[in-house]
Amino acid sequence: MNGRVASRKSGWKVWGLVGALCLGGVDVTAAPAPAGSGPAAVPPAARPAPTLALGPSTSPRVLTLEQLRALPSVTYRVEQPQLRRSFSYRGVTLRDLAELGGFGGQDLRLYASNGYLALIRARDYLNAPIMVAYEADGHAISVRDKGPLTVVLPPEPARYRTLAYSGAWVWYVNRLTPVQAGAQGGK
Ligand SMILES: Nc1nc2c(c(=O)[nH]1)N[C@H]1C(S)=C(S)[C@@H](COP(=O)(O)O)O[C@H]1N2
Ligand SMILES: [Mo]
């Protein structure tokens, strides 16, 4: 990682992987499985609808998928570098989301439901339509494909397709906060 994108992985990642394989996107932070009971016991109908929180956990604005879908959207085709498949993604720009959260133009922390955290600089999202995508090829994004909400970077500039930015493709994203809000938990 260089200075543009900082990221860390935590012990929660294993839950994220379990979730990706078996859980079908249940946010384990919102619905922890009792020890010993398999997350696979949660039927698809019990999956909580995805939400995106804007701002620190003490004072978030929480958008439902429906509310996200009602915002102005961008659509473009790009290859998801970890899946190595190209999709036409649709979603809301980080620029608009930060504005809506009241922290437009600030560097952002992006949290995922598996405990992953990445930083995206204002100079990146202000100059390119980096988005939180909720749709790929006209469909909801499956957990297998890193959804239901996933950060997508446009094909240009070319640096977005380098290793330095691979950590910015935050899968299962569920919260954005301004970096200046301090060391808030991501949950
Ligand atoms: N939710 C989530 N998104 C994530 C990660 C993660 O652990 N969890 N890892 C990031 C990092 S640091 C990189 S390099 C790529 C990892 O993709 P790969 O494991 O397919 O190489 O996804 C990024 N997005
Ligand atoms: Mo990475």
Side-chain angles (χ1 to χ4, degrees):
M1 281 309 145
N2 68 10
R4 292 201 194 98
V5 178
S7 61
R8 73 168 163 83
K9 292 180 180 175
S10 79
W12 285 96
K13 180 167 185 180
V14 64
W15 276 109
L17 293 173
V18 169
L21 294 170
C22 319
L23 241 182
V26 171
D27 181 337
V28 296
T29 62
S37 86
V42 179
R47 289 175 196 168
T51 58
L52 184 69
L54 306 177
S57 41
T58 45
S59 55
R61 170 161 187 184
V62 180
L63 298 177
T64 63
L65 180 59
E66 203 171 43
Q67 290 171 323
L68 259 186
R69 295 187 66 100
L71 295 173
S73 67
V74 291
T75 302
Y76 52 82
R77 176 166 287 279
V78 69
E79 183 181 286
Q80 211 291 348
Q82 288 92 39
L83 294 171
R84 297 198 180 131
R85 272 156 51 216
S86 161
F87 297 89
S88 177
Y89 282 109
R90 179 172 177 212
V92 182
T93 61
L94 294 188
R95 186 192 188 108
D96 284 356
L97 291 169
E99 200 67 50
L100 199 59
F103 42 89
Q106 297 187 43
D107 293 345
L108 300 180
R109 286 200 177 100
L110 295 95
Y111 296 88
S113 60
N114 65 338
Y116 178 78
L117 165 64
L119 188 146
I120 295 185
R121 300 278 182 202
R123 66 169 175 268
D124 284 321
Y125 76 77
L126 293 177
N127 291 305
I130 299 174
M131 70 164 100
V132 171
Y134 51 74
E135 209 175 275
D137 294 340
H139 301 287
I141 307 171
S142 67
V143 174
R144 186 184 293 260
D145 286 345
K146 318 289 194 193
L149 301 177
T150 198
V151 174
V152 169
L153 283 65
E156 302 290 335
R159 70 173 182 278
Y160 289 164
R161 286 178 279 114
T162 63
L163 274 181
Y165 280 86
S166 55
W169 293 76
V170 182
W171 326 319
Y172 333 125
V173 61
N174 66 1
R175 178 182 302 279
L176 315 187
T177 69
V179 166
Q180 282 183 357
Q184 294 282 349
K187 304 300 167 353

